[in-house]
């Protein structure tokens, strides 16, 4: 489909990055990260302090766009050279004098070309570009800038045949490393090529071991190789490698340094390393110094000659040694299921969502009294998990618990503190601060024991012209539309019956189960009509070219509203909801809604946290939960619907973008119309899909029997009614 082609095109551009440059900053998934400024709380005169690191946001000039849109960066001395994707210029920041300069690139030389990477040496800038050619290939080019004379010129990189004049294609292009004013190096086909500003090859040297990129120490380049770090030596005509430097175990050399150090990161901590005496020293922990998770950008920073660390992510910060408040610790238990290889941060020995990590970082850098310390806990299987939870509940010194990867209700209310009393006494928040249906979904046993940060929406979308009123949107009507539009796919062509069934079953747990009265109504004629519609939907359809669908199951409306929905419908769309349903016909879904038979939610796991009943620091723990509630969210609204009204409104507005991604796909990213439709769905939806896998499997089993030819839709509905009623009564 069109949206798939666009993603392939965008992915192709992003994959070609600079392994020899210091970094290629930017959001990992290509979307804009929404950040709000987080201030470090100043140390008051009476506050006990200790030696630490202080982060300060660097003010950028008006002519410089948001740091999220930089293409690449490199350093020379105490300055960082930032290649700006949106303006096609190079911004230069002097980290010692806190000053900015700009090098304007020749726009005629850049016309029709893509900026890729930047490298700096002596008084020259070397920028790699790619250009589309009529033969449908993308070719590598050099843009050379002499910073003293202002000379700029662009040329093809001519290394495809060794010492030849044939231009190299993108598939063969390796990013550049500037050597001096007259030469730069690239590695291609296990050979190091020295090229001049005209792209001509000066010399070539076998260098098969060097494949891991480059860092600089006092502007001396060191290549990462299979044998460790090796200094690159250049004699004016050829290159060679010095002896290897072995870093400590688990170390990955990540940053340039102008203070005579090797810098590396190991499990969120940045260390300096002296290669001569093999001594390492901890500099700082990202969890204590970053202003947000987006601001913690590995391989996007350097140490200047004064020992300060410049982090050029968004926002840019400078991290300097100084006196910081001495804080008490709040211990948070985080988990990793040892039986599964699918966890977010397994490298660190635990699983944690981006929103949680972002919340911890913001809290650690804003609360004057407390900081979060993580306590990783690994379990293998349900019995071991139960044992671990019991141990945590009895005198373990744990204040908070992250239950994001645990099954719903795995932690009982007797183990957790009810947070409603804290909320009711809070000066800034109240029960009315939240989207009512989502707030009620969090409550159990009359209390708020676990806070859930985000949900998404499950709905059906269709074309504007196919939808009149909610009352007319019926299963029978959808079947007629499918018959009347044979030139369209009935539903997205690759959505198989297993997927379709699961989404209808999820919706059914919200529509036909009354949790307040612990009863169900699957024997409703509406549910029988759902079964008939589901039976008539084709299984995966053969691809017959890009064409719209009659309707689509939108299982992740928070992420899909806007351009994705528009492209699916090949034009204007409407969130119609499930047919014949009460209310909006849309349903909130917890982001960790279990298995999705090959189609997972794009958002990953949700974030759920609780305060331990045994904690002696409940006030501080509540302050952290409150910070999490008010967090802007790492991915913005596309990362899920926050349950706090202000946060929801703020993120919807931040997501607003009328930009057309590509003239071939003429839909805005997230227009005002998209935003209003999205808000209407959120504020008027009041049903929540069940995350109980046993209940869901019960419904799916009976639906599959019907789809396989067993009985009528009414008989299947009656059987589901009987089995679910029994299950609900057993669960109480």
């Amino acid at each position: 489909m069109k949206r798939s082609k666009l993603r392939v095109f965008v992915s192709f551009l992003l994959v070609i990055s600079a392994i020899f440059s210091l970094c290629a900053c930017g959001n990992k998934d290509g979307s804009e990260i929404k950040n709000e400024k987080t201030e470090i709380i100043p140390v008051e005169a009476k506050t006990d302090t200790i030696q630490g690191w202080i982060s300060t946001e660097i003010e950028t000039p008006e002519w410089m766009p948001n740091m999220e849109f930089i293409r690449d960066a490199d350093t020379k001395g105490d300055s960082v050279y930032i290649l700006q994707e949106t303006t096609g210029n190079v911004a230069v920041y002097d980290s010692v004098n806190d000053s900015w300069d700009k090098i304007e690139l020749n726009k005629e030389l850049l016309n029709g070309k893509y900026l890729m990477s930047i490298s700096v040496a002596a008084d020259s800038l070397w920028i790699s570009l790619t250009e589309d050619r009529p033969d449908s290939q993308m070719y590598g080019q050099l843009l050379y800038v002499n910073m003293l004379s202002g000379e700029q010129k662009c040329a093809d990189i001519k290394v495809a045949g060794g010492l030849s004049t044939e231009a190299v294609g993108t598939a063969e292009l390796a990013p550049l490393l500037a050597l001096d004013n007259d030469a730069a190096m690239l590695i291609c086909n296990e050979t190091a090529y020295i090229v001049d500003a005209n792209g001509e090859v000066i010399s070539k040297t076998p260098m098969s071991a060097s494949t891991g990129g480059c860092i600089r120490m006092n502007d001396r380049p060191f290549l990462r190789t299979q044998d460790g770090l090796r200094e690159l030596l250049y004699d004016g005509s050829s290159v060679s490698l010095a002896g290897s430097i072995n870093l400590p175990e688990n170390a990955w050399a990540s940053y340039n340094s102008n203070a005579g150090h090797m810098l590396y990161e190991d499990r969120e901590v940045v260390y300096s390393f002296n290669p001569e005496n093999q001594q390492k020293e901890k500099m700082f922990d990202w969890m204590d110094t970053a202003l947000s998770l987006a601001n913690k950008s590995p391989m996007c920073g350097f140490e200047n000659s004064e020992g300060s660390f410049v982090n050029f992510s968004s926002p840019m910060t400078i991290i300097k040694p100084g006196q910081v408040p001495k804080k008490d610790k709040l211990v948070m238990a985080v988990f990793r299921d040892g039986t599964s290889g699918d966890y977010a941060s397994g490298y660190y020995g635990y699983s944690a969502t981006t929103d949680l990590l972002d919340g911890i970082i913001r809290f650690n850098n804003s609360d004057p009294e407390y900081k979060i310390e993580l306590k990783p806990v690994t379990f293998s299987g349900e019995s071991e998990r139960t044992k671990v939870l019991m141990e945590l509940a009895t005198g373990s010194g744990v204040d908070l618990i992250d239950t994001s990867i645990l099954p719903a209700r795995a932690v009982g209310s007797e183990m957790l503190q009810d947070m409603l009393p804290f909320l009711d006494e809070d000066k800034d928040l109240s029960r009315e601060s939240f989207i009512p249906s989502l707030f009620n979904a969090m409550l159990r046993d009359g209390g708020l024991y676990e806070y859930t940060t985000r949900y998404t929406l499950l709905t059906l979308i269709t074309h504007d012209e196919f939808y009149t009123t909610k009352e007319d949107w019926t299963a029978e009507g959808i079947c007629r539309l499918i018959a009347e539009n044979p030139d369209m796919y009935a539903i997205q062509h690759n959505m198989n019956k297993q997927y379709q069934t699961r989404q209808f079953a999820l919706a059914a747990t919200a529509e036909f189960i009354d949790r307040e009265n612990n009863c169900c109504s699957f024997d409703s004629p509406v549910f029988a009509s759902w079964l008939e519609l589901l039976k008539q939907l084709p299984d995966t359809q053969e691809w017959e070219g890009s064409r719209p669908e009659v309707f689509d199951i939108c299982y992740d409306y928070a992420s899909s509203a806007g351009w994705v929905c528009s492209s699916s419908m090949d034009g204007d769309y409407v969130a119609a909801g499930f047919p014949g349903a009460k209310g909006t016909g849309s349903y909130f879904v917890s982001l960790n809604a279990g298995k999705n038979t090959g189609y997972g939610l794009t958002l990953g796991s949700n974030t759920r946290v609780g305060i331990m009943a045994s904690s002696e620091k409940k006030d501080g723990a509540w302050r952290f939960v409150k910070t999490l509630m008010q967090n802007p969210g790492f991915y913005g609204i596309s990362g899920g619907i926050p349950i706090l009204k202000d946060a929801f409104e703020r993120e919807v507005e931040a997501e607003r973008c009328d930009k057309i991604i590509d003239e071939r796909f003429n839909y805005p990213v997230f227009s005002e119309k998209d935003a209003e439709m999205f808000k209407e769905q959120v504020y008027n939806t009041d049903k929540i899909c069940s995350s109980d896998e046993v209940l869901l499997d019960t419904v799916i089993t009976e639906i599959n029997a019907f789809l396989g030819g067993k009985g009528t839709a009414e008989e299947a509905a009656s059987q589901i009614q009987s089995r679910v009623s029994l299950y609900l009564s057993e669960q109480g």
Side-chain angles (χ1 to χ4, degrees):
M1 298 182 67
K2 288 182 178 179
R3 57 181 171 178
S4 299
K5 291 179 181 178
L6 176 64
R7 287 169 179 162
V8 170
F9 175 72
V10 173
S11 298
F12 175 71
L13 292 181
L14 293 177
V15 163
I16 307 171
S17 60
I19 62 172
F20 282 89
S21 297
L22 180 59
C23 75
C25 301
N27 190 5
K28 299 178 180 64
D29 70 351
S31 62
E32 296 182 21
I33 300 173
K34 313 299 181 185
N35 290 298
E36 292 193 353
K37 187 173 179 180
T38 303
E39 298 288 352
I40 300 293
I41 300 298
V43 178
E44 298 179 1
K46 296 181 181 180
T47 302
D48 292 336
T49 64
I50 58 174
Q51 183 65 32
W53 294 80
I54 301 172
S55 298
T56 305
E57 185 173 331
I58 297 171
E59 184 176 352
T60 54
E62 292 183 0
W63 50 261
M64 185 174 177
N66 194 303
M67 286 294 293
E68 295 166 11
F69 301 105
I70 72 168
R71 166 54 67 185
D72 193 24
D74 195 16
T75 64
K76 184 172 78 79
D78 288 322
S79 295
V80 55
Y81 293 74
I82 301 169
L83 186 61
Q84 302 176 55
E85 185 175 20
T86 50
T87 65
N89 291 321
V90 176
V92 185
Y93 176 64
D94 184 331
S95 64
V96 171
N97 297 309
D98 189 28
S99 61
W100 287 91
D101 197 2
K102 177 170 63 173
I103 300 174
E104 296 191 4
L105 302 180
N106 187 322
K107 299 302 185 290
E108 293 183 3
L109 297 178
L110 297 178
N111 187 35
K113 300 168 186 176
Y114 303 100
L115 298 169
M116 301 308 299
S117 61
I118 184 172
S119 190
V120 188
D123 299 308
S124 63
L125 295 177
W126 301 69
I127 298 171
S128 66
L129 312 166
T130 57
E131 181 182 35
D132 287 317
R133 298 285 172 84
D135 58 4
S136 299
Q137 296 294 320
M138 295 184 73
Y139 285 85
Q141 293 189 314
L142 288 178
L143 175 66
Y144 171 82
V145 180
N146 187 306
M147 291 185 286
L148 292 181
S149 67
E151 175 192 12
Q152 299 187 26
K153 56 184 175 180
C154 189
D156 284 345
I157 300 175
K158 307 179 184 72
V159 301
L163 298 173
S164 76
T165 58
E166 183 181 353
V168 66
T170 296
E172 301 164 331
L173 174 63
L176 295 169
L177 173 66
L179 299 173
D180 59 21
N181 286 338
D182 302 312
M185 183 190 79
L186 60 84
I187 294 178
C188 183
N189 298 325
E190 298 188 342
T191 301
Y193 292 90
I194 308 301
V195 296
D196 63 18
N198 296 313
E200 299 287 351
V201 176
I202 298 172
S203 68
K204 60 179 182 177
T205 305
M207 199 169 287
S208 60
S210 178
T211 57
C214 171
I215 63 168
R216 301 180 195 269
M217 182 175 70
N218 294 353
D219 291 331
R220 294 157 50 197
F222 290 78
L223 299 186
R224 302 187 189 97
T225 75
Q226 298 170 356
D227 302 322
L229 281 173
R230 301 182 67 181
E231 184 174 3
L232 181 73
L233 306 175
Y234 175 57
D235 63 9
S237 60
S238 63
V239 292
S240 60
L241 293 175
S244 63
I245 298 172
N246 293 315
L247 296 177
E249 186 178 1
N250 297 324
W252 176 254
S254 305
Y255 309 103
N256 290 355
S257 171
N258 198 32
H261 300 136
M262 292 288 179
L263 296 187
Y264 69 90
E265 183 170 325
D266 183 9
R267 291 174 174 81
E268 306 287 324
V269 177
V270 176
Y271 296 90
S272 65
F273 178 74
N274 188 323
E276 294 183 0
N277 58 21
Q278 297 286 297
Q279 295 297 309
K280 72 172 186 177
E281 182 177 348
K282 177 180 176 180
M283 290 184 65
F284 56 82
D285 190 325
W286 278 115
M287 300 293 280
D288 297 333
T289 53
L291 299 186
S292 68
L293 185 61
N295 180 248
K296 187 201 78 62
S297 299
M299 293 185 284
C300 284
F302 79 104
E303 180 187 26
N304 67 18
S305 60
E306 296 182 341
S308 298
F309 189 91
V310 179
N311 180 21
F312 33 99
S313 62
S314 180
M316 277 188 69
T317 56
I318 187 164
I319 307 172
K320 298 181 178 181
Q323 292 294 308
V324 298
K326 184 178 181 180
K327 298 183 180 182
D328 200 0
K329 294 178 181 178
L330 292 171
V331 178
M332 175 182 288
V334 290
F335 295 93
R336 170 185 165 192
D337 183 350
T339 64
S340 171
D342 183 21
Y343 43 84
S345 301
Y347 178 77
Y348 307 110
Y350 58 86
S351 173
T353 67
T354 52
D355 271 0
L356 179 62
L357 293 176
D358 189 48
I360 292 171
I361 289 173
R362 291 177 186 273
F363 179 80
N364 285 357
N365 286 284
S366 61
D367 192 272
E369 187 177 359
Y370 291 103
K371 62 180 287 187
I372 298 292
E373 180 180 276
L374 297 180
K375 179 177 182 177
V377 179
T378 301
F379 59 84
S380 297
E382 187 173 348
S383 60
E384 187 173 331
R385 183 186 72 221
T386 302
K387 179 182 177 182
V388 164
L389 291 174
M390 291 178 62
E391 291 174 350
L392 291 175
T394 56
S396 60
V398 173
D399 302 291
L400 292 145
I401 185 169
D402 168 25
T403 59
S404 303
I405 72 166
L406 301 182
R409 298 181 180 266
V411 181
S413 56
E414 69 282 352
M415 182 177 173
L416 299 175
Q417 169 69 38
D418 180 9
M419 291 180 275
L420 282 181
F422 293 99
L423 178 62
D424 291 339
E425 293 179 8
D426 197 274
K427 297 179 180 178
D428 304 312
L429 298 176
S430 69
R431 302 187 192 203
E432 288 69 37
S433 302
F434 300 89
I435 297 170
S437 53
L438 294 180
F439 182 76
N440 292 334
M442 289 193 304
L443 301 179
R444 77 183 198 217
D445 301 330
L448 175 59
Y449 295 97
E450 288 178 280
Y451 174 70
T452 303
T453 58
R454 290 172 183 266
Y455 288 81
T456 189
L457 271 173
L458 169 66
T459 189
L460 298 188
I461 61 170
T462 190
H463 304 264
D464 257 346
E465 63 267 27
F466 286 173
Y467 184 85
T468 52
T469 66
K470 185 68 184 145
E471 291 70 25
D472 294 331
W473 181 245
T474 64
E476 294 81 2
I478 295 175
C479 290
R480 284 196 301 272
L481 287 169
I482 293 172
E484 293 167 0
N485 293 275
D487 57 328
M488 294 183 177
Y489 292 115
I491 195 170
Q492 190 174 346
H493 78 282
N494 60 350
M495 286 188 178
N496 61 32
K497 186 66 71 176
Q498 189 179 19
Y499 168 80
Q500 298 165 13
T501 299
R502 182 174 177 83
Q503 303 311 315
F504 267 80
L506 263 174
T509 64
E511 181 67 27
F512 303 105
I513 295 179
D514 182 348
R515 286 179 177 75
E516 186 174 341
N517 297 302
N518 203 38
C519 61
C520 58
S521 57
F522 287 96
D523 50 1
S524 158
V526 172
F527 181 63
S529 72
W530 284 19
L531 296 180
E532 292 286 5
L533 170 60
L534 188 58
K535 193 168 188 176
Q536 292 190 43
L537 290 179
D539 205 334
T540 49
Q541 303 161 83
E542 184 177 349
W543 171 251
E544 298 178 3
S546 178
R547 53 190 177 124
E549 301 98 35
V550 171
F551 78 99
D552 208 350
I553 300 175
C554 186
Y555 58 89
D556 191 4
Y557 190 51
S559 180
S560 301
W563 182 84
V564 175
C565 287
S566 294
S567 61
S568 176
M569 294 293 105
D570 202 19
D572 288 338
Y573 71 96
V574 62
F578 280 75
K582 299 175 184 178
T584 63
S586 300
Y587 310 102
F588 288 112
V589 184
S590 177
L591 302 188
N592 54 346
K595 57 186 179 182
N596 272 273
T597 60
Y599 292 84
L601 297 176
T602 64
L603 311 172
S605 296
N606 204 345
T607 305
R608 290 181 289 133
V609 296
I611 298 173
M612 297 293 287
S614 58
S615 171
E616 297 180 356
K617 306 169 186 175
K618 293 186 179 69
D619 287 337
W622 164 250
R623 292 216 301 258
F624 169 74
V625 175
K626 181 178 174 180
T627 297
L628 196 62
M629 289 175 173
Q630 297 174 313
N631 246 17
F634 186 71
Y635 292 115
I637 200 66
S638 62
I641 301 161
I643 71 170
L644 193 68
K645 290 178 184 176
D646 285 349
F648 171 66
E649 291 284 346
R650 188 171 62 240
E651 291 186 19
V652 169
E653 185 57 32
E655 193 80 6
R656 275 280 315 280
C657 180
D658 294 318
K659 178 182 177 183
I660 304 298
I661 297 178
D662 191 292
E663 61 184 10
R664 295 170 294 175
F665 313 100
N666 193 30
Y667 315 117
V669 174
F670 189 68
S671 68
E672 182 177 359
K673 180 180 177 181
D674 296 321
E676 290 306 313
M677 190 187 311
F678 183 65
K679 289 195 288 187
E680 181 180 352
Q681 289 291 310
V682 169
Y683 283 131
N684 292 289
T685 294
D686 58 5
K687 298 184 179 72
I688 313 286
C689 294
S690 175
S691 58
D692 186 333
E693 285 294 329
V694 175
L695 173 60
L696 199 57
D697 285 344
T698 299
V699 177
I700 290 173
T701 298
E702 294 300 329
I703 294 178
N704 285 336
F706 163 69
L707 296 176
K710 182 180 178 181
T712 65
E714 288 75 16
E715 289 170 340
S718 178
Q719 182 65 15
I720 293 172
Q721 173 72 15
S722 176
R723 291 192 61 184
V724 173
S725 294
L726 178 61
Y727 180 77
L728 293 175
S729 66
E730 289 174 347
Q731 297 300 305

